[in-house]
Amino acid sequence: MSVKVNKDFSYVGKSLDRNDSFLKTTGRAQYTADLKFPNMLYGKLIRSTVAHARIINIDTSEAEKLPGVKAIITAKDVPSMKWGLSPARFDENIFAIDKVLYVGDKIGAVCAVDEETVYKALKLIKVEYEELPAVLTWQEAAKEGAPQIFEEYPGNVNTEIHHKFGDPDAALKEAYYVRTDRLQGQRTYHAFIENHCSIGMWDGDKATLYSSCQSVHYLQYHLARVLGMKMGDLRVLKTHVGAGFGGKLDPTGLDFSALILSKMLGQPVKMFYDHEETFLNGHGRHAITMELTTGVDKNGKVLAHKFKAILDGGAYTGLGIASTYYAGSLLGVLYPIENYQFDAYRYVTNLPPCGAQRGHGQPQPRYAFEHHLDLIGEAIGVDPIDMRLVNARKNNTVTTAGYEVKSYHLGKANEMARDASGWKEKRGKLGLGRGIGVGNGGFVTGAGFCQYRTDLPHSVGMIKIYDDGTRAFVYSQAVDIGQGSDTVLLQMAAEAMGYPYEKCQMYAGDTDLTTLDFGAYASRQTLMAGWAVKRAGEDVKQKILEQAVEMFRESGRIKEGWAYIGNRELRPDDLDCKEGIVFVKQEPSLTLTFEEVARRYFVTKGVLIGRGWYHPGKLGGNHKGAAVGTSPAYSSATQIAEVKVDLETGQIECVDTWDVHDSGTIINPKLFHGQVHGAFSMGIGETIWEEVKFDDKGKLLNGNFSEYRLPTALDMPPVLSLTVEDSWEPNGPYGLKEVGEGATTPTMGCVANAIYDAIGVSMTELPITYEKVWRALKEKREKEQK
Amino acid sequence: MYLPDFEYYAPESIAETCQLLSQFGPRAKVIAGGSDIIVKMKKEVLAPEVLVSIKNLAELKKIEYVPGKGVVVGARVTHNDLYKSKLLAEKYASVSNAAGQMADNQVRNIGTLGGNISNAVPSADLPPIFIALNATVKLEGVNGERTMPLEDLFTGPGKTVLAQDEIITEVVIPDQKMTGSNYIKFGLRKSGALAVVGVAVAVEVENNVIKDARVALGAVAATPVRAKKTEEFLKGKTVTDELLAEAGVIASGECKPISDIRASAEYRTDLVRVFTKRALRKAIDEGHV
Ligand SMILES: Cc1cc2nc3c(=O)[nH]c(=O)nc-3n(C[C@H](O)[C@H](O)[C@H](O)COP(=O)(O)OP(=O)(O)OC[C@H]3O[C@@H](n4cnc5c(N)ncnc54)[C@H](O)[C@@H]3O)c2cc1C
């Protein structure tokens, strides 16, 4: 593993331990479910047992008689304002009013003195339904006369997108080779280990909510809006978060209920899910049905591409509109395509809602396009890597849709991955049953727009220096969901201040005590919160240097070095500060400690605070939907996988993998490699094993980790993780770009292509299970025998 | 998922255990490692009012060789005990290897042989290899003990001949002429996956001729089943690749799998063919592995 480390930096580029590693590995980190408050009550949601029905009656009388039950609430007890994450489509209520839309839909909540009573009470609640015909696939939803789930979505079409750049049809006519492929993705689930949990409590008219979430700000915004509160009257905070992967962005029924019940009862209320309920909460990856038509020239250069995507959305919109845009908006970033048409539909169905999952709407379309590209290359006799090299976007360019791409080294990533993996010796030469495949990907480094309309900055940072200068407290609403954002933010803050990293402490993810940040999504925090804390650090440093000038002058010590500076007053920019030592740049032996300067500042001026601010400004793209895809910076990556397939059983083993990432400056190589490993694990899982399944009544079949199979440590191949070392992103603090989501996007494509290389059958449906491979090989043999 | 209330007993002797089971009748269940029964209670599939733990019955923890009898394995032996047993590694590594492929390390540390057998789940990993090795099982109850071939214990999915007051105390692998044995588990990932198909074989081979063979299949019928036609077919034949391939085909005709969330019946049937062939090859070439 190699990463360039700039020797001038004290902390940036260093593999420092995560700031929470000791707490987590010793089991002392407290997650929301671990928290207890005096007189705390417990609660769970009442959930629908049918896929589509009118609620006729909810009989809670038996449950209310159970000793220990404190309250049972349903739609009639809570505000009826609709909410959602896509402003034009607020379609969800706290609890179902009149109709339930999927097995698991929220009907109400039960609150009792302990967990046991909650479970007992739930069993005593009788909901009477008038069942309605349900639609469980988009194909059923799209049929003439299909049952309508929402009045506002005729034909069950939740959204449609039609983008056209250039003249694809004309370009296809001119192309040397044209090909159409159809591919199918599957519904997957984030599979974070910590289930959702929320604790609400009140003090007068001030509410506090602990929630295992990815964005305290958005949660505060949505909850305050629906509950009719001022944002300042609601404090949202989190403790340690056991991952999110996109599944903890939407407010849950737990968040609303915890606040409503704790207000009603005057006691703190903890609301929680078990794993199956977290599956039912959903918001995982959409299954996308994809059709791709591409025309290329003789060398494989893409001249025109038409992409049709149909998303099975599940019951509500959530983040689904953004998912739908993301299905098509980033292809043109990887590969410049002048003539591009994207038509997408998202249908609502009677299943748990889908939303964002690592890579958002992009990973399945990446799989489809990367596989399609291999099939085209094969038809025209061009090696897969050459297909990618001929198409890869170049540094400092603008996409057809108008997105400005600064640093971009996808070509280099392909070459490095090719060389590291021994591609030339392996491709097509490994024999039947073994194969190697390549896939490209990348992602935005933060979204260009807030989720709702606002002029707020995207991130604000603050650093407070302790009175005597012995500690620096860094504040941000950034949410560390396990990716390590607290650690890299501290590294950047320490670097910017010139103050020891070990003495920096993070306060994050608390809407009262910390400063605005939109949270962990769209791979934004390292860049956006990074700018904010870096600038806050620079502000601290400036104040320290100004104070130091005064102190040098007062002390008279400066006279010795005077000659070097010239015949003028000492100025702050004559000084610098590194690792806690303030020094005169031209005479570095003249020093003061940060601590003594900071203390003097406190004594003479009050608390020393640094402030930073970040807004991405106006970014590229003017078409409808440009907001989803425009970003200050784009990462790119090439992955290669080598697989072994048992030709008799279809069993697939991923034996080796390589990832070359163009992520600009790497702030913390160890955390960076961790992201790449984790992304491979998720991507390989989604390629081979993972799929959320339902029966023909819409009931979840595999809401557990025994039948929803994630790869285990034994299933993981070695991962060689490399970076494009000379990549520097001008729009990122210290030249950085994202790695979190981008790393998942090439995986399905590269593994699928490796399987294709191994068995010679194109697998067009995810997950590529052992049984599907077995069947494909059997059919191939039968065909050959004929 | 909330564990309901129950009464708990941890008797000190087998007799006392059977006595309690008899006294409480169908209200009581045995608990060994609890890796299965606790899950079922949380899911409300089972709701015993009384759990009788056998954790204090030290005599059920042994793995020992008794001359004239064979290898005696106590019911409370865990999967990792089997996996790490020196005696088994020497005599029947096929058994320890089967145990080593089960579940995951945590479950292997608590799950027991007795629980795995009594559960009578068609996909259980241990019955096939014990059946292939012609093992017997000893049941003890208030009215004494009885011993029977392990394969006769099972009567259907989740069903055995065990009476309410009976527990399994030991399993015995008799001394035998079989020169090799092997179990292949096919799960849908490398760890923490239940068997989609499990094939166990034991063979007696002399001068490249199969004198005797036993084939036991898991996860492809209501109980673990012997592939008796396959066994008959193999007897007296000279080992060739073609012979083993044909044995696989015959075995695949002897199973009656179902389609479920993990695999189709058609797939399972073909997997039996493949793994019968492969397990035979291993047992013939490498002995008890
Ligand atoms: C995550 C996970 C993975 C698993 N993977 C596998 C796997 O790969 N392969 C596999 O085969 N199984 C697997 N299992 C199932 C289970 O772990 C095994 O069947 C295990 O052997 C059960 O043993 P136990 O001691 O835990 O049984 P318990 O749960 O204690 O008991 C199971 C049943 O057997 C009865 N019982 C137990 N001991 C006796 C006895 N001596 N006499 C009479 N009745 C008795 C109990 O009353 C109960 O009905 C898995 C389970 C889990 C939770």
Side-chain angles (χ1 to χ4, degrees):
Chain A
M1 305 201 188
S2 79
V3 161
K4 180 180 78 168
V5 177
N6 185 325
K7 303 228 168 36
D8 297 339
F9 289 141
S10 303
Y11 309 110
V12 162
K14 301 267 159 72
S15 284
L16 303 177
D17 287 343
R18 300 170 57 114
N19 70 331
D20 58 5
S21 54
F22 192 66
L23 277 183
K24 283 184 173 168
T25 49
T26 53
R28 290 190 296 157
Q30 297 254 305
Y31 295 81
T32 309
D34 297 321
L35 302 180
K36 287 198 174 70
F37 295 91
N39 296 320
M40 190 170 78
L41 303 169
Y42 298 81
K44 283 188 96 57
L45 298 185
I46 306 165
R47 295 182 160 278
S48 170
T49 52
V50 293
H52 195 195
R54 230 169 268 294
I55 301 172
I56 302 298
N57 186 36
I58 306 171
D59 179 1
T60 57
S61 55
E62 284 301 306
E64 273 158 25
K65 282 185 219 146
L66 189 71
V69 170
K70 289 285 189 176
I72 299 175
I73 53 173
T74 60
K76 65 181 185 339
D77 308 303
V78 301
S80 60
M81 182 184 271
K82 281 193 166 25
W83 59 274
L85 296 193
S86 304
R89 289 175 188 72
F90 284 177
D91 56 15
E92 207 161 343
N93 283 109
I94 297 175
F95 299 132
I97 299 176
D98 186 30
K99 246 174 52 149
V100 285
L101 303 188
Y102 71 96
V103 177
D105 206 354
K106 312 169 291 295
I107 293 177
V110 174
C111 181
V113 291
D114 56 24
E115 287 186 24
E116 188 174 0
T117 311
V118 173
Y119 281 97
K120 283 188 177 149
L122 278 174
K123 266 184 266 170
L124 298 174
I125 293 164
K126 294 181 201 78
V127 183
E128 195 186 322
Y129 303 100
E130 176 198 328
E131 281 204 55
L132 302 168
V135 284
L136 301 178
T137 62
W138 72 258
Q139 286 88 345
E140 286 168 37
K143 272 195 196 127
E144 273 288 328
Q148 289 295 295
I149 303 178
F150 289 90
E151 264 169 40
E152 54 266 51
Y153 309 137
N156 294 316
V157 178
N158 176 229
T159 194
E160 53 186 291
I161 299 168
H162 303 285
H163 282 169
K164 197 168 182 175
F165 302 97
D167 189 344
D169 289 306
L172 283 175
K173 281 201 196 99
E174 316 246 299
Y176 167 74
Y177 175 74
V178 177
R179 177 182 178 97
T180 297
D181 285 299
R182 289 177 190 82
L183 297 99
Q184 179 64 50
Q186 85 280 37
R187 173 187 280 252
T188 63
Y189 167 69
H190 317 89
F192 37 80
I193 297 303
E194 184 209 13
N195 293 316
H196 294 270
C197 184
S198 317
I199 304 173
M201 62 195 88
W202 290 75
D203 181 6
D205 64 355
K206 173 88 190 206
T208 297
L209 182 80
Y210 281 90
S211 179
S212 174
C213 67
Q214 292 182 226
S215 168
V216 289
H217 174 77
Y218 286 144
L219 197 51
Q220 179 194 29
Y221 171 82
H222 290 295
L223 295 171
R225 183 184 155 272
V226 177
L227 299 177
M229 298 171 72
K230 295 252 166 31
M231 282 176 77
D233 290 341
L234 172 60
R235 175 188 186 190
V236 176
L237 72 163
K238 54 93 203 170
T239 62
H240 294 278
V241 178
F245 303 116
K248 291 179 179 167
L249 271 171
D250 306 65
T252 66
L254 306 181
D255 298 316
F256 287 109
S257 316
L259 283 174
I260 292 167
L261 284 164
S262 59
K263 183 172 193 185
M264 239 173 98
L265 297 165
Q267 283 169 260
V269 173
K270 176 190 279 184
M271 299 286 302
F272 62 102
Y273 283 153
D274 60 28
H275 272 305
E276 186 166 18
E277 289 166 319
T278 307
F279 269 89
L280 288 173
N281 188 71
H283 297 103
R285 196 174 314 292
H286 294 74
I288 314 184
T289 305
M290 300 167 283
E291 183 182 288
L292 302 85
T293 300
T294 302
V296 296
D297 71 11
K298 257 194 215 136
N299 302 318
K301 168 98 188 101
V302 176
L303 304 174
H305 178 64
K306 287 166 89 168
F307 179 43
K308 188 173 170 191
I310 304 177
L311 287 77
D312 184 335
Y316 296 100
T317 303
L319 272 169
I321 305 301
S323 318
T324 312
Y325 277 108
Y326 268 127
S329 66
L330 295 182
L331 175 70
V333 175
L334 276 127
Y335 307 120
I337 302 174
E338 262 171 52
N339 305 290
Y340 176 51
Q341 186 173 332
F342 171 49
D343 296 289
Y345 301 83
R346 183 181 192 268
Y347 285 92
V348 281
T349 55
N350 292 115
L351 292 177
C354 294
Q357 183 174 326
R358 202 172 187 176
H360 212 157
Q362 210 209 164
Q364 289 177 10
R366 288 256 44 68
Y367 146 72
F369 190 87
E370 294 299 309
H371 187 52
H372 179 62
L373 209 56
D374 269 26
L375 296 172
I376 294 170
E378 186 180 33
I380 62 170
V382 177
D383 176 81
I385 300 251
D386 295 334
M387 283 297 288
R388 286 162 178 83
L389 286 174
V390 93
N391 283 297
R393 168 168 302 284
K394 305 247 171 352
N395 212 12
N396 268 322
T397 45
V398 178
T399 74
T400 308
Y403 298 155
E404 284 169 43
V405 181
K406 300 288 192 226
S407 66
Y408 211 74
H409 305 279
L410 181 58
K412 183 81 187 292
N414 273 275
E415 288 166 356
M416 286 175 66
R418 176 192 65 199
D419 298 343
S421 65
W423 175 271
K424 286 182 177 158
E425 296 76 55
K426 288 177 178 166
R427 174 72 186 186
K429 298 173 186 143
L430 294 171
L432 203 57
R434 277 194 94 111
I436 190 166
V438 62
N440 284 339
F443 207 61
V444 299
T445 311
F449 291 87
C450 178
Q451 267 182 13
Y452 61 94
R453 225 156 252 143
T454 180
D455 55 1
L456 288 174
H458 288 213
S459 196
V460 169
M462 181 173 88
I463 299 174
K464 185 180 102 178
I465 303 301
Y466 184 64
D467 312 356
D468 66 356
T470 53
R471 281 266 162 184
F473 305 116
V474 181
Y475 301 86
S476 167
Q477 282 170 24
V479 178
D480 193 328
I481 53 174
Q483 82 284 43
S485 60
D486 283 356
T487 306
V488 294
L489 293 177
L490 287 178
Q491 285 179 263
M492 287 186 272
E495 191 72 57
M497 287 187 284
Y499 185 75
Y501 167 82
E502 305 74 39
K503 297 286 171 197
C504 294
Q505 210 170 306
M506 191 77 199
Y507 288 94
D510 180 335
T511 58
D512 264 16
L513 295 188
T514 71
T515 51
L516 176 69
D517 182 79
F518 292 158
Y521 72 101
S523 293
R524 60 178 292 289
Q525 280 188 166
T526 311
L527 186 143
M528 296 191 177
W531 271 126
V533 300
K534 176 174 187 273
R535 287 171 178 166
E538 287 161 355
D539 191 24
V540 167
K541 189 186 213 173
Q542 182 61 27
K543 288 173 176 154
I544 286 287
L545 299 186
E546 282 166 12
Q547 181 68 42
V549 166
E550 281 179 32
M551 289 166 73
F552 273 127
R553 246 190 259 142
E554 286 162 12
S555 70
R557 279 169 66 202
I558 199 67
K559 290 216 170 77
E560 292 166 44
W562 199 236
Y564 298 98
I565 292 164
N567 223 352
R568 61 170 172 76
E569 295 267 290
L570 182 69
R571 293 192 316 232
D573 63 351
D574 295 322
L575 308 181
D576 200 358
C577 178
K578 259 184 167 318
E579 297 168 36
I581 306 294
V582 181
F583 56 94
V584 178
K585 282 193 265 190
Q586 295 187 42
E587 187 53 62
S589 61
L590 281 173
T591 62
L592 287 165
T593 66
F594 185 109
E595 282 179 16
E596 61 188 315
V597 180
R599 187 174 184 288
R600 182 81 190 147
Y601 184 102
F602 186 79
V603 168
T604 57
K605 302 182 179 69
V607 63
L608 171 46
I609 286 183
R611 305 191 314 165
W613 176 96
Y614 175 75
H615 192 293
K618 168 88 185 83
L619 299 171
N622 290 315
H623 58 288
K624 178 170 185 278
V628 185
T630 197
S631 174
Y634 297 89
S635 69
S636 70
T638 298
Q639 289 181 350
I640 289 181
E642 195 178 327
V643 301
K644 217 162 81 182
V645 178
D646 185 323
L647 298 171
E648 281 189 302
T649 65
Q651 187 175 27
I652 303 161
E653 187 181 354
C654 205
V655 291
D656 216 345
T657 55
W658 296 264
D659 176 292
V660 181
H661 235 87
D662 160 24
S663 276
T665 302
I666 309 302
I667 303 300
N668 185 318
K670 188 154 64 177
L671 289 180
F672 168 86
H673 295 310
Q675 288 294 309
V676 172
H677 278 246
F680 257 117
S681 156
M682 285 187 90
I684 292 170
E686 289 189 48
T687 315
I688 303 175
W689 294 287
E690 296 176 38
E691 180 169 23
V692 184
K693 293 182 178 172
F694 301 90
D695 72 7
D696 60 2
K697 294 266 184 288
K699 283 211 167 80
L700 178 65
L701 288 174
N702 58 346
N704 58 66
F705 291 139
S706 177
E707 294 308 330
Y708 185 85
R709 270 177 295 280
L710 305 162
T712 67
L714 292 181
D715 297 294
M716 270 299 282
V719 175
L720 182 71
S721 163
L722 304 170
T723 63
V724 177
E725 293 185 357
D726 39 18
S727 173
W728 174 274
E729 173 55 51
N731 283 342
Y734 298 107
L736 70 83
K737 296 193 286 187
E738 78 88 42
V739 60
E741 294 184 78
T744 318
T745 63
T747 316
M748 297 183 223
C750 84
V751 176
N753 286 337
I755 293 170
Y756 180 49
D757 189 41
I759 66 173
V761 187
S762 157
M763 300 300 291
T764 55
E765 189 189 306
L766 295 172
I768 305 173
T769 63
Y770 303 167
E771 181 163 354
K772 284 184 197 162
V773 171
W774 166 81
R775 196 173 297 281
L777 286 165
K778 189 173 135 220
E779 282 163 7
K780 182 185 170 200
R781 270 193 301 272
E782 284 164 1
K783 235 190 238 153
E784 283 164 3
Q785 274 160 15
K786 270 189 203 145
Chain B
M1 298 269 275
Y2 199 84
L3 197 60
D5 289 337
F6 54 87
E7 271 182 71
Y8 179 78
Y9 293 87
E12 300 288 335
S13 72
I14 294 176
E16 200 188 330
T17 306
C18 300
Q19 182 49 45
L20 284 166
L21 289 171
S22 163
Q23 179 188 328
F24 292 112
R27 292 166 51 214
K29 284 288 252 173
V30 176
I31 180 167
S35 67
D36 197 83
I37 197 166
I38 295 291
V39 180
K40 287 199 180 116
M41 287 167 70
K42 280 192 167 183
K43 287 189 180 161
E44 298 174 26
V45 179
L46 284 180
E49 291 163 37
V50 178
L51 285 182
V52 181
S53 169
I54 55 172
K55 74 170 183 193
N56 292 332
L57 309 185
E59 66 264 50
L60 305 192
K61 269 297 246 180
K62 68 192 162 204
I63 306 180
E64 63 187 24
Y65 182 67
V66 179
K69 192 171 174 193
V71 175
V72 180
V73 187
R76 263 205 6 90
V77 158
T78 65
H79 310 321
N80 265 343
D81 292 337
L82 291 172
Y83 179 46
K84 290 171 183 164
S85 156
K86 284 210 178 73
L87 177 67
L88 285 171
E90 245 166 58
K91 291 188 78 78
Y92 304 111
S94 50
V95 173
S96 19
N97 289 337
Q101 289 174 44
M102 291 173 73
D104 48 56
N105 207 32
Q106 292 92 324
V107 172
R108 286 199 296 272
N109 276 332
I110 53 159
T112 65
L113 171 63
N116 195 250
I117 293 175
S118 321
N119 244 344
V121 176
S123 66
D125 281 308
L126 294 175
I129 188 65
F130 278 99
I131 292 173
L133 290 169
N134 206 13
T136 59
V137 57
K138 183 155 107 186
L139 319 183
E140 293 188 42
V142 282
N143 299 321
E145 57 173 71
R146 52 180 175 147
T147 295
M148 65 180 73
L150 176 58
E151 58 188 293
D152 293 346
L153 185 84
F154 306 104
T155 54
K159 294 201 181 103
T160 64
V161 301
L162 271 168
Q164 170 58 38
D165 64 319
E166 278 181 321
I167 62 165
I168 293 179
T169 52
E170 63 182 40
V171 177
V172 177
I173 308 172
D175 288 337
Q176 54 194 291
K177 293 188 179 155
M178 293 299 189
T179 52
S181 60
N182 181 235
Y183 173 69
I184 300 181
K185 168 192 188 150
F186 186 73
L188 296 180
R189 66 180 166 193
K190 284 192 182 160
S191 169
L194 296 176
V196 160
V197 154
V199 177
V201 303
V203 289
E204 183 190 351
V205 183
E206 206 180 287
N207 298 328
N208 213 32
V209 174
I210 299 178
K211 297 185 68 183
D212 194 7
R214 287 170 68 88
V215 177
L217 309 175
V220 290
T223 63
V225 288
R226 292 266 301 280
K228 291 194 176 155
K229 284 185 202 149
T230 313
E231 294 173 2
E232 283 312 311
F233 166 78
L234 286 167
K235 277 180 204 165
K237 302 240 168 68
T238 301
V239 176
T240 63
D241 283 344
E242 294 69 37
L243 181 85
L244 304 187
E246 207 177 333
V249 173
I250 296 170
S252 69
E254 291 193 81
C255 62
K256 294 183 201 67
I258 54 161
S259 294
D260 65 10
I261 185 176
R262 278 172 236 138
S264 71
E266 192 192 354
Y267 185 40
R268 285 194 160 100
T269 306
D270 197 47
L271 290 172
V272 166
R273 176 185 67 76
V274 175
F275 292 118
T276 302
K277 177 178 73 176
R278 290 185 188 174
L280 284 168
R281 178 45 84 191
K282 275 222 140 215
I284 291 165
D285 289 356
E286 298 174 41
H288 295 284
V289 289

